[in-house]
Amino acid sequence: MPESDADLRARIVTSAIEAYRAADFHSVGPAEVAAHAGVPELEVRRVYPMWELLVVAVTDRWNNGNRRALWGIAERSGAVAYLRARLEAGRDEPALVRLRVALLSAASSPDHPAAGWFRGQYTHSFQDLTLALARDVVAGREPRGTSPRHAAEQLVALYEGLQLQSLLREDSEPLAGFDRAVARMRAGWAAAAVSA
């Protein structure tokens, strides 16, 4: 029985993730994905006629799947614990971090065909974190008076910066750096709440 296009697309997305795990983001193209999928390159191009469509599908399954899988931590233990878990997952999956970093560049380019989608995903993720921080303040996990939006800006900057450092510095210890920085941020949030 021939494979349906839906099944083939799913297999190609899985194979693209494997290709990104095996090589640098910028060196992966239709030929590498086809080799991992065990299909002719023409089949990859037929079911994904624009390369960006495949990258969007990979991002949706891999990055958003990771985000959704860990979101329960935000619900149970707060936004800081959730971002720490994502940082830890990135340490174990450096190819996913490379994908995220590469797509930040694409999201910032108005000429990239998928920039709007990438930017929308980024905005949605930031809004989710801001909402989680608002819940944390109400639940007492973060100091009263903490600005969820400002705290989210700080935490996202810390998270993204530590991810980048983990790719570029051999002596990087992102989890320890995260814990130290969060302790200082929380002290600042508490001090701001007292002075307000």
Side-chain angles (χ1 to χ4, degrees):
M1 187 172 187
E3 187 174 29
S4 73
D5 278 357
D7 291 338
L8 179 59
R9 278 192 291 274
R11 180 156 62 113
I12 287 171
V13 169
T14 298
S15 300
I17 292 169
E18 291 169 6
Y20 284 128
R21 284 181 173 137
D24 177 67
F25 174 81
H26 298 290
S27 67
V28 174
E32 291 73 22
V33 173
H36 279 271
V39 300
E41 185 178 336
L42 285 175
E43 280 294 274
V44 172
R45 292 181 184 276
R46 181 181 68 79
V47 296
Y48 286 102
M50 286 181 63
W51 179 250
E52 291 79 10
L53 293 174
L54 178 55
V55 175
V56 164
V58 165
T59 304
D60 190 47
R61 177 171 326 153
W62 198 10
N63 184 56
N64 289 345
N66 175 271
R67 194 163 49 98
R68 286 187 292 267
L70 295 174
W71 187 251
I73 294 170
E75 298 288 340
R76 290 186 309 276
S77 304
V80 168
Y82 161 73
L83 273 186
R84 190 181 195 284
R86 288 205 71 198
L87 198 59
E88 188 171 9
R91 183 193 61 191
D92 299 337
E93 186 83 271
L96 178 55
V97 176
R98 287 193 302 271
L99 175 75
R100 287 181 192 146
V101 169
L103 296 182
L104 287 174
S105 175
S108 69
S109 170
D111 296 332
H112 192 282
W117 189 84
F118 294 139
R119 189 179 293 264
Q121 292 294 301
Y122 189 87
T123 299
H124 181 71
S125 178
F126 181 82
Q127 290 169 340
D128 283 349
L129 188 65
T130 303
L131 179 60
L133 282 159
R135 286 195 296 252
D136 291 344
V137 171
V138 170
R141 286 190 289 255
E142 300 301 346
R144 283 232 175 259
T146 298
S147 164
R149 182 171 180 77
H150 295 152
E153 288 172 351
Q154 291 175 321
L155 287 170
V156 168
L158 175 63
Y159 167 73
E160 290 172 352
L162 289 171
Q163 279 190 114
L164 185 59
Q165 287 184 42
S166 74
L167 295 177
L168 301 175
R169 289 181 45 215
E170 290 182 19
D171 64 342
S172 173
E173 295 180 12
L175 296 176
F178 184 83
D179 293 341
R180 283 191 303 273
V182 165
R184 290 184 184 111
M185 279 192 264
R186 282 181 165 148
W189 299 340
V194 168
S195 66

XYZ file of all heavy atoms in Angstrom, residues 49-152:
809
model
N 7.155 22.010 -1.314
C 7.656 22.752 -2.469
C 8.461 24.009 -2.108
O 9.241 24.495 -2.913
C 6.389 23.121 -3.250
C 5.264 22.951 -2.300
C 5.696 21.952 -1.276
N 8.261 24.520 -0.908
C 9.093 25.626 -0.403
C 9.848 25.105 0.822
O 9.236 24.537 1.730
C 8.236 26.831 0.028
C 7.656 27.629 -1.102
S 6.700 29.044 -0.470
C 7.970 29.985 0.363
N 11.154 25.294 0.835
C 11.980 24.827 1.950
C 11.476 25.383 3.277
O 11.444 24.697 4.296
C 13.435 25.228 1.715
C 14.337 24.816 2.824
C 14.959 25.637 3.726
C 14.701 23.482 3.181
N 15.697 24.890 4.613
C 15.557 23.563 4.306
C 14.391 22.234 2.668
C 16.098 22.434 4.917
C 14.937 21.102 3.281
C 15.772 21.214 4.381
N 11.041 26.636 3.275
C 10.577 27.273 4.509
C 9.387 26.540 5.120
O 9.210 26.541 6.336
C 10.223 28.746 4.260
C 11.418 29.624 3.971
C 11.943 29.518 2.533
O 11.264 28.890 1.687
O 13.024 30.065 2.257
N 8.548 25.927 4.285
C 7.415 25.157 4.809
C 7.903 23.975 5.643
O 7.315 23.646 6.673
C 6.525 24.662 3.668
C 5.767 25.729 2.881
C 5.040 25.101 1.698
C 4.784 26.459 3.788
N 8.964 23.339 5.183
C 9.521 22.225 5.953
C 10.145 22.736 7.251
O 9.964 22.128 8.314
C 10.555 21.452 5.118
C 11.253 20.292 5.836
C 10.245 19.302 6.421
C 12.214 19.591 4.887
N 10.841 23.854 7.201
C 11.448 24.409 8.418
C 10.360 24.781 9.434
O 10.507 24.535 10.634
C 12.355 25.616 8.093
C 12.879 26.267 9.365
C 13.522 25.179 7.204
N 9.255 25.330 8.955
C 8.130 25.642 9.845
C 7.581 24.356 10.471
O 7.325 24.309 11.680
C 7.025 26.420 9.089
C 5.715 26.406 9.866
C 7.476 27.857 8.837
N 7.418 23.315 9.672
C 6.903 22.040 10.191
C 7.859 21.444 11.225
O 7.424 20.918 12.259
C 6.668 21.066 9.042
N 9.165 21.529 10.957
C 10.167 21.036 11.904
C 10.087 21.836 13.201
O 10.080 21.275 14.301
C 11.583 21.122 11.293
C 12.660 20.960 12.356
C 11.749 20.079 10.197
N 10.027 23.145 13.078
C 9.971 24.011 14.263
C 8.716 23.727 15.075
O 8.749 23.643 16.308
C 9.997 25.491 13.844
O 11.165 25.716 13.054
C 10.021 26.411 15.051
N 7.599 23.559 14.379
C 6.348 23.305 15.087
C 6.420 21.992 15.858
O 6.022 21.927 17.015
C 5.176 23.286 14.104
C 3.853 23.274 14.825
O 3.668 24.065 15.764
O 2.993 22.441 14.472
N 6.961 20.956 15.230
C 7.016 19.675 15.930
C 8.093 19.658 17.006
O 7.854 19.219 18.117
C 7.273 18.532 14.970
C 7.376 17.255 15.785
C 7.429 15.927 15.163
N 6.709 15.700 13.984
C 7.106 14.779 13.103
N 8.196 14.065 13.308
N 6.400 14.560 12.014
N 9.283 20.130 16.682
C 10.423 19.955 17.577
C 10.450 21.008 18.669
O 10.415 20.686 19.857
C 11.688 20.014 16.737
C 12.930 19.455 17.348
C 13.037 18.719 18.500
C 14.244 19.575 16.818
N 14.351 18.384 18.711
C 15.110 18.890 17.690
C 14.772 20.191 15.697
C 16.477 18.807 17.472
C 16.134 20.110 15.472
C 16.981 19.420 16.345
N 10.491 22.274 18.304
C 10.578 23.335 19.305
C 9.266 23.484 20.068
O 9.249 23.499 21.300
C 10.968 24.660 18.649
C 11.173 25.754 19.671
O 11.972 25.621 20.585
N 10.426 26.831 19.537
N 8.165 23.594 19.349
C 6.884 23.756 20.033
C 6.496 22.502 20.799
O 5.860 22.584 21.842
C 5.789 24.166 19.050
C 5.967 25.585 18.561
O 6.715 26.361 19.139
N 5.307 25.933 17.474
N 6.892 21.338 20.277
C 6.650 20.094 21.013
C 7.401 20.089 22.332
O 6.857 19.698 23.372
N 8.638 20.548 22.302
C 9.439 20.658 23.519
C 8.802 21.638 24.493
O 8.687 21.373 25.691
C 10.863 21.091 23.138
C 11.750 21.355 24.329
O 11.803 22.482 24.834
N 12.448 20.332 24.776
N 8.363 22.768 23.963
C 7.732 23.803 24.793
C 6.450 23.273 25.443
O 6.232 23.449 26.646
C 7.424 25.017 23.909
C 7.085 26.269 24.648
C 7.187 27.508 23.780
N 6.531 27.429 22.505
C 5.330 27.913 22.227
N 4.629 28.512 23.174
N 4.816 27.820 21.027
N 5.616 22.601 24.641
C 4.358 22.053 25.178
C 4.623 20.960 26.209
O 3.928 20.874 27.227
C 3.486 21.520 24.045
C 2.823 22.604 23.213
C 1.839 22.027 22.208
N 2.476 21.272 21.158
C 2.852 21.764 19.969
N 2.646 23.040 19.688
N 3.426 21.004 19.071
N 5.618 20.115 25.942
C 5.917 19.018 26.860
C 6.354 19.527 28.234
O 6.094 18.882 29.252
C 6.997 18.116 26.261
N 7.014 20.684 28.253
C 7.532 21.216 29.514
C 6.599 22.228 30.177
O 6.859 22.640 31.311
C 8.904 21.865 29.268
C 10.013 20.902 28.820
C 11.280 21.670 28.476
C 10.289 19.849 29.887
N 5.516 22.614 29.500
C 4.662 23.675 30.039
C 4.041 23.312 31.384
O 3.803 24.187 32.228
C 3.579 24.069 29.034
C 2.821 25.266 29.528
C 1.535 25.294 29.982
C 3.326 26.598 29.687
N 1.197 26.568 30.400
C 2.288 27.388 30.219
C 4.552 27.197 29.417
C 2.445 28.738 30.491
C 4.703 28.547 29.692
C 3.653 29.296 30.217
N 3.825 22.039 31.631
C 3.284 21.612 32.924
C 4.151 22.069 34.091
O 3.655 22.306 35.193
N 5.444 22.225 33.852
C 6.345 22.721 34.896
C 5.976 24.156 35.259
O 5.979 24.522 36.443
C 7.819 22.623 34.434
C 8.201 21.147 34.274
C 8.758 23.334 35.410
C 9.535 20.919 33.604
N 5.639 24.967 34.258
C 5.206 26.347 34.542
C 3.939 26.338 35.378
O 3.792 27.145 36.300
C 4.991 27.114 33.236
N 3.032 25.439 35.060
C 1.766 25.364 35.804
C 1.998 24.938 37.254
O 1.370 25.473 38.161
C 0.817 24.368 35.121
C 0.432 24.744 33.703
C -0.509 25.928 33.632
O -1.162 26.242 34.642
O -0.581 26.549 32.564
N 2.892 23.966 37.460
C 3.128 23.429 38.807
C 4.120 24.244 39.627
O 3.930 24.444 40.823
C 3.654 21.988 38.729
C 2.666 20.960 38.278
C 3.227 19.544 38.380
N 4.535 19.386 37.729
C 4.717 19.146 36.426
N 3.678 19.058 35.630
N 5.924 18.994 35.931
N 5.211 24.682 38.955
C 6.333 25.249 39.703
C 6.723 26.660 39.305
O 7.611 27.246 39.920
C 7.562 24.343 39.552
O 7.256 23.032 39.962
N 6.102 27.199 38.263
C 6.351 28.575 37.892
C 7.183 28.757 36.639
O 7.785 27.820 36.112
N 7.184 30.002 36.179
C 7.847 30.362 34.924
C 9.355 30.163 34.995
O 9.972 29.724 34.023
C 7.520 31.813 34.573
N 9.961 30.493 36.125
C 11.412 30.341 36.253
C 11.799 28.865 36.135
O 12.741 28.518 35.415
C 11.913 30.960 37.580
C 13.354 30.565 37.860
C 11.764 32.475 37.545
N 11.074 27.997 36.815
C 11.358 26.561 36.739
C 11.161 26.044 35.309
O 11.929 25.201 34.834
C 10.465 25.799 37.714
N 10.157 26.562 34.622
C 9.900 26.170 33.228
C 11.065 26.569 32.321
O 11.565 25.758 31.539
C 8.591 26.820 32.761
C 8.413 26.885 31.277
C 8.121 25.743 30.543
C 8.531 28.095 30.601
C 7.964 25.816 29.163
C 8.355 28.172 29.236
C 8.073 27.026 28.516
O 7.914 27.101 27.159
N 11.528 27.818 32.423
C 12.647 28.250 31.576
C 13.917 27.486 31.922
O 14.710 27.157 31.035
C 12.883 29.750 31.710
C 12.067 30.639 30.785
C 12.509 32.084 30.929
C 12.151 30.212 29.342
N 14.105 27.178 33.184
C 15.277 26.391 33.571
C 15.196 25.003 32.946
O 16.198 24.465 32.455
C 15.380 26.286 35.089
C 16.699 25.697 35.555
C 16.763 25.571 37.076
N 18.111 25.342 37.544
C 18.749 24.178 37.450
N 18.168 23.130 36.892
N 19.997 24.061 37.914
N 14.015 24.412 32.942
C 13.839 23.090 32.325
C 14.096 23.148 30.826
O 14.690 22.229 30.244
C 12.436 22.562 32.614
N 13.676 24.239 30.181
C 13.955 24.390 28.746
C 15.450 24.557 28.498
O 15.986 24.030 27.524
C 13.188 25.585 28.175
C 11.691 25.285 28.081
C 10.993 26.095 27.058
N 11.368 25.670 25.714
C 11.188 26.420 24.634
N 10.672 27.616 24.739
N 11.528 25.968 23.454
N 16.123 25.275 29.376
C 17.568 25.432 29.258
C 18.265 24.078 29.428
O 19.192 23.747 28.685
C 18.047 26.432 30.313
C 19.411 27.065 30.139
C 19.501 27.835 28.827
C 19.689 28.002 31.303
N 17.787 23.307 30.374
C 18.350 21.972 30.602
C 18.093 21.065 29.396
O 18.983 20.333 28.963
C 17.752 21.360 31.868
C 18.399 20.072 32.295
C 17.934 19.623 33.667
O 16.985 20.208 34.233
O 18.535 18.665 34.177
N 16.903 21.136 28.834
C 16.591 20.336 27.640
C 17.485 20.739 26.473
O 17.935 19.891 25.695
C 15.117 20.496 27.268
N 17.765 22.041 26.358
C 18.658 22.516 25.307
C 20.078 22.032 25.491
O 20.785 21.762 24.516
N 20.505 21.912 26.733
C 21.842 21.378 27.005
C 21.942 19.941 26.490
O 22.977 19.522 25.969
C 22.112 21.426 28.506
C 23.513 20.949 28.891
C 23.625 20.717 30.367
N 22.682 19.682 30.777
C 22.380 19.397 32.028
N 22.911 20.079 33.003
N 21.527 18.440 32.320
N 20.851 19.205 26.622
C 20.830 17.812 26.177
C 20.550 17.679 24.687
O 20.714 16.600 24.123
C 19.770 17.038 26.973
C 20.069 17.024 28.472
O 21.250 17.197 28.846
O 19.117 16.863 29.257
N 20.097 18.757 24.054
C 19.720 18.740 22.632
C 20.285 19.989 21.956
O 19.545 20.895 21.571
C 18.198 18.704 22.533
C 17.638 18.545 21.153
C 17.588 17.125 20.665
O 18.582 16.675 20.064
O 16.563 16.469 20.883
N 21.614 20.080 21.780
C 22.201 21.297 21.218
C 21.720 21.613 19.800
O 21.690 22.776 19.407
C 23.710 21.039 21.263
C 23.868 19.580 21.472
C 22.628 19.090 22.139
N 21.330 20.615 19.051
C 20.828 20.879 17.693
C 19.552 21.705 17.734
O 19.328 22.556 16.870
C 20.594 19.569 16.947
N 18.716 21.478 18.735
C 17.495 22.269 18.872
C 17.845 23.719 19.211
O 17.221 24.652 18.704
C 16.575 21.669 19.939
C 15.278 22.422 20.241
C 14.451 22.657 18.977
C 14.456 21.677 21.281
N 18.860 23.915 20.034
C 19.300 25.275 20.352
C 19.824 25.961 19.091
O 19.518 27.127 18.832
C 20.362 25.272 21.475
C 20.885 26.678 21.740
C 19.782 24.671 22.750
N 20.611 25.244 18.285
C 21.109 25.820 17.034
C 19.948 26.223 16.127
O 19.978 27.274 15.490
C 22.032 24.828 16.305
C 23.384 24.678 16.963
C 24.374 23.946 16.065
N 23.939 22.622 15.672
C 24.178 21.508 16.358
N 24.846 21.557 17.488
N 23.748 20.347 15.910
N 18.912 25.396 16.069
C 17.725 25.724 15.273
C 17.077 27.001 15.799
O 16.762 27.907 15.031
C 16.727 24.566 15.300
C 15.388 24.825 14.612
C 15.545 24.779 13.099
C 14.339 23.826 15.074
N 16.884 27.096 17.108
C 16.261 28.288 17.699
C 17.048 29.547 17.372
O 16.480 30.572 16.996
C 16.160 28.144 19.217
C 15.122 27.184 19.702
C 15.131 27.165 21.222
N 14.360 26.062 21.734
C 14.663 25.392 22.840
N 15.735 25.724 23.552
N 13.911 24.410 23.253
N 18.370 29.472 17.530
C 19.218 30.643 17.282
C 19.135 31.046 15.809
O 19.002 32.226 15.478
C 20.668 30.361 17.726
C 21.612 31.448 17.240
C 20.741 30.234 19.249
N 19.185 30.078 14.919
C 19.108 30.378 13.480
C 17.764 31.011 13.131
O 17.690 31.927 12.307
C 19.326 29.109 12.662
N 16.708 30.559 13.764
C 15.382 31.073 13.429
C 15.117 32.453 14.027
O 14.260 33.176 13.531
C 14.304 30.074 13.831
C 14.384 28.747 13.067
C 13.255 27.822 13.482
C 14.398 28.952 11.566
N 15.858 32.822 15.072
C 15.744 34.197 15.571
C 16.171 35.172 14.480
O 15.557 36.215 14.290
C 16.610 34.393 16.821
C 16.104 33.755 18.102
C 17.140 33.916 19.217
C 14.772 34.349 18.524
N 17.204 34.807 13.751
C 17.656 35.640 12.640
C 16.586 35.706 11.558
O 16.276 36.784 11.037
C 18.961 35.086 12.066
O 19.347 35.816 10.933
N 16.008 34.567 11.213
C 14.956 34.545 10.183
C 13.752 35.374 10.614
O 13.161 36.095 9.808
C 14.540 33.103 9.897
N 13.397 35.292 11.892
C 12.229 36.036 12.390
C 12.449 37.542 12.316
O 11.493 38.304 12.179
C 11.925 35.624 13.825
N 13.700 37.961 12.399
C 13.987 39.390 12.377
C 14.133 39.951 10.964
O 14.259 41.160 10.790
C 15.262 39.680 13.172
O 16.388 39.157 12.491
N 14.100 39.082 9.961
C 14.278 39.525 8.577
C 12.921 39.686 7.897
O 12.228 38.699 7.661
C 15.114 38.500 7.804
O 15.103 38.811 6.431
N 12.530 40.906 7.548
C 11.213 41.102 6.939
C 11.079 40.412 5.576
O 9.973 40.162 5.126
C 11.092 42.622 6.796
C 12.446 43.179 7.029
C 13.259 42.150 7.733
N 12.200 40.084 4.942
C 12.148 39.457 3.627
C 12.057 37.934 3.688
O 11.848 37.287 2.665
C 13.389 39.845 2.810
C 13.439 41.337 2.531
O 12.348 41.957 2.464
O 14.554 41.879 2.412
N 12.234 37.346 4.869
C 12.174 35.885 4.973
C 10.723 35.437 4.807
O 9.823 35.987 5.443
C 12.727 35.422 6.324
C 12.969 33.957 6.390
N 11.957 33.048 6.574
C 14.116 33.242 6.270
C 12.461 31.833 6.583
N 13.780 31.930 6.401
N 10.462 34.431 3.969
C 9.077 34.010 3.713
C 8.298 33.569 4.954
O 7.087 33.701 4.991
C 9.225 32.837 2.736
C 10.583 32.956 2.165
C 11.423 33.686 3.167
N 9.000 33.060 5.963
C 8.303 32.589 7.162
C 8.501 33.512 8.362
O 8.163 33.153 9.488
C 8.771 31.180 7.509
N 9.021 34.714 8.129
C 9.315 35.625 9.239
C 8.083 35.911 10.088
O 8.165 35.935 11.317
C 9.909 36.933 8.708
N 6.953 36.110 9.460
C 5.733 36.401 10.208
C 5.351 35.262 11.137
O 4.959 35.496 12.288
N 5.469 34.033 10.642
C 5.132 32.874 11.483
C 6.105 32.765 12.638
O 5.697 32.583 13.787
C 5.128 31.590 10.654
C 4.595 30.418 11.414
C 3.286 30.072 11.572
C 5.356 29.447 12.147
N 3.177 28.942 12.357
C 4.443 28.539 12.728
C 6.715 29.263 12.374
C 4.840 27.462 13.498
C 7.116 28.182 13.152
C 6.179 27.292 13.711
N 7.420 32.877 12.356
C 8.422 32.774 13.412
C 8.224 33.875 14.451
O 8.283 33.631 15.650
C 9.846 32.870 12.845
C 10.233 31.715 11.961
C 10.944 31.933 10.795
C 9.907 30.417 12.291
C 11.309 30.884 9.972
C 10.267 29.353 11.475
C 10.974 29.588 10.310
N 7.965 35.094 13.983
C 7.753 36.219 14.899
C 6.492 35.991 15.746
O 6.476 36.273 16.941
C 7.643 37.522 14.121
C 7.646 38.761 14.983
C 7.568 40.009 14.112
N 8.766 40.164 13.316
C 9.798 40.932 13.660
N 9.748 41.612 14.776
N 10.851 41.026 12.891
N 5.451 35.475 15.122
C 4.222 35.167 15.857
C 4.454 34.123 16.941
O 3.935 34.246 18.064
N 5.236 33.098 16.626
C 5.560 32.064 17.608
C 6.339 32.663 18.782
O 6.091 32.339 19.940
C 6.369 30.950 16.954
C 5.592 30.134 15.946
C 4.482 29.355 16.604
O 4.716 28.535 17.483
N 3.251 29.609 16.183
N 7.287 33.527 18.450
C 8.108 34.163 19.479
C 7.231 35.030 20.386
O 7.337 34.968 21.619
C 9.206 35.007 18.818
C 10.232 35.528 19.771
C 11.346 34.765 20.092
C 10.094 36.787 20.351
C 12.304 35.241 20.977
C 11.048 37.265 21.237
C 12.152 36.489 21.556
O 13.078 36.965 22.431
N 6.354 35.817 19.779
C 5.462 36.688 20.544
C 4.537 35.866 21.439
O 4.337 36.190 22.615
C 4.635 37.570 19.586
O 5.538 38.380 18.820
C 3.655 38.454 20.332
N 4.001 34.789 20.891
C 3.104 33.924 21.666
C 3.843 33.324 22.863
O 3.315 33.285 23.982
C 2.538 32.821 20.767
C 1.599 31.899 21.445
N 0.335 32.283 21.841
C 1.743 30.612 21.831
C -0.258 31.265 22.430
N 0.579 30.237 22.438
N 5.070 32.875 22.646
C 5.864 32.293 23.722
C 6.141 33.332 24.816
O 6.050 33.032 26.018
C 7.176 31.759 23.144
O 7.982 31.224 24.142
N 6.443 34.563 24.409
C 6.691 35.634 25.379
C 5.425 35.938 26.175
O 5.469 36.131 27.401
C 7.198 36.888 24.663
C 7.508 38.022 25.588
C 8.723 38.076 26.250
C 6.570 39.025 25.826
C 9.006 39.124 27.130
C 6.847 40.063 26.697
C 8.063 40.119 27.348
N 4.285 35.982 25.500
C 3.019 36.253 26.182
C 2.680 35.147 27.182
O 2.197 35.420 28.282
C 1.893 36.428 25.165
C 2.009 37.705 24.369
C 1.067 37.755 23.181
O 0.568 36.729 22.710
N 0.835 38.964 22.676
N 2.942 33.894 26.795
C 2.709 32.778 27.716
C 3.554 32.928 28.979
O 3.069 32.713 30.093
C 3.043 31.442 27.047
C 1.979 30.969 26.080
O 0.876 31.557 26.059
O 2.258 30.008 25.337
N 4.818 33.305 28.796
C 5.715 33.458 29.937
C 5.255 34.613 30.832
O 5.264 34.500 32.065
C 7.148 33.695 29.455
C 8.208 33.689 30.547
C 8.321 32.319 31.199
C 9.552 34.111 29.980
N 4.811 35.706 30.217
C 4.312 36.850 30.980
C 3.093 36.451 31.809
O 2.991 36.790 32.995
C 3.973 38.017 30.034
O 5.130 38.358 29.275
C 3.506 39.240 30.802
N 2.183 35.700 31.201
C 1.004 35.228 31.928
C 1.396 34.289 33.067
O 0.858 34.382 34.175
C 0.041 34.522 30.961
C -1.232 33.960 31.569
C -2.064 35.060 32.224
C -2.044 33.233 30.508
N 2.353 33.405 32.804
C 2.805 32.491 33.863
C 3.410 33.274 35.025
O 3.183 32.940 36.195
C 3.828 31.507 33.301
N 4.151 34.326 34.723
C 4.733 35.151 35.791
C 3.655 35.896 36.576
O 3.764 36.044 37.800
C 5.758 36.127 35.215
C 7.110 35.485 34.900
C 7.883 36.315 33.899
C 7.909 35.275 36.175
N 2.611 36.338 35.893
C 1.495 36.980 36.606
C 0.862 35.990 37.581
O 0.575 36.337 38.745
C 0.460 37.501 35.611
N 0.689 34.761 37.149
C 0.145 33.722 38.043
C 1.105 33.447 39.200
O 0.674 33.195 40.330
C -0.149 32.444 37.264
C -1.373 32.543 36.388
C -1.840 31.181 35.917
N -0.859 30.533 35.080
C -0.973 30.359 33.765
N -2.035 30.796 33.139
N -0.035 29.744 33.089
N 2.415 33.490 38.908
C 3.406 33.252 39.964
C 3.339 34.322 41.048
O 3.493 34.025 42.231
C 4.824 33.217 39.367
C 5.068 31.999 38.496
O 4.280 31.026 38.567
O 6.056 32.017 37.729
N 3.128 35.571 40.645
C 3.007 36.658 41.624
C 1.771 36.425 42.488
O 1.831 36.518 43.724
C 2.965 38.034 40.915
C 2.622 39.138 41.910
C 4.298 38.326 40.232
N 0.657 36.087 41.860
C -0.589 35.837 42.609
C -0.418 34.649 43.557
O -0.876 34.671 44.703
C -1.770 35.602 41.634
C -3.005 35.105 42.371
C -2.079 36.881 40.863
N 0.294 33.600 43.094
C 0.483 32.397 43.905
C 1.563 32.558 44.968
O 1.748 31.676 45.809
C 0.835 31.213 42.999
N 2.307 33.670 44.929
C 3.356 33.902 45.914
C 4.695 33.265 45.552
O 5.615 33.249 46.374
N 4.824 32.745 44.323
C 6.118 32.174 43.909
C 7.121 33.260 43.549
O 8.321 33.032 43.554
C 5.929 31.234 42.709
C 5.294 29.903 43.080
C 5.341 28.919 41.929
N 4.445 29.272 40.852
C 3.285 28.675 40.592
N 2.870 27.674 41.363
N 2.546 29.055 39.583
N 6.603 34.439 43.184
C 7.446 35.591 42.892
C 6.966 36.747 43.762
O 5.800 36.784 44.165
C 7.399 35.959 41.410
C 7.877 34.867 40.460
C 9.317 34.410 40.684
O 10.080 35.095 41.398
O 9.687 33.350 40.159
N 7.858 37.699 44.074
C 7.491 38.789 44.998
C 6.310 39.617 44.500
O 6.201 39.894 43.306
C 8.758 39.654 45.053
C 9.866 38.789 44.557
C 9.246 37.808 43.622
N 5.443 39.995 45.424
C 4.343 40.909 45.099
C 4.927 42.201 44.549
O 5.958 42.674 45.008
C 3.521 41.234 46.346
C 2.613 40.131 46.731
C 1.181 40.638 46.914
N 0.336 39.491 47.181
C -0.435 38.921 46.261
N -0.491 39.414 45.056
N -1.161 37.867 46.552
N 4.276 42.772 43.582
C 4.757 43.998 42.971
C 5.687 43.766 41.788
O 6.052 44.701 41.095
N 6.080 42.502 41.560
C 6.901 42.182 40.388
C 6.102 42.486 39.129
O 4.932 42.113 39.030
C 7.290 40.684 40.397
O 8.075 40.414 41.547
C 8.066 40.297 39.148
N 6.710 43.166 38.186
C 6.072 43.404 36.894
C 6.269 42.166 36.029
O 7.401 41.879 35.615
C 6.694 44.617 36.203
O 6.338 44.630 34.829
N 5.206 41.407 35.753
C 5.372 40.195 34.943
C 6.015 40.459 33.577
O 6.849 39.678 33.125
C 3.942 39.659 34.805
C 3.246 40.166 36.020
C 3.832 41.528 36.253
N 5.636 41.569 32.955
C 6.199 41.864 31.633
C 7.694 42.147 31.716
O 8.477 41.641 30.923
C 5.464 43.032 30.982
C 5.986 43.346 29.590
C 5.114 44.357 28.875
N 5.599 44.658 27.567
C 5.470 43.886 26.492
N 4.854 42.732 26.595
N 5.943 44.255 25.331
N 8.106 42.961 32.681
C 9.527 43.268 32.824
C 10.321 42.035 33.250
O 11.441 41.816 32.776
C 9.739 44.417 33.814
C 9.161 45.703 33.331
N 8.712 46.682 34.187
C 8.931 46.175 32.074
C 8.240 47.699 33.482
N 8.359 47.409 32.196
N 9.729 41.240 34.135
C 10.390 40.003 34.556
C 10.539 39.056 33.363
O 11.581 38.408 33.200
C 9.602 39.341 35.679
N 9.515 38.985 32.519
C 9.598 38.127 31.328
C 10.704 38.602 30.393
O 11.466 37.797 29.849
C 8.253 38.105 30.597
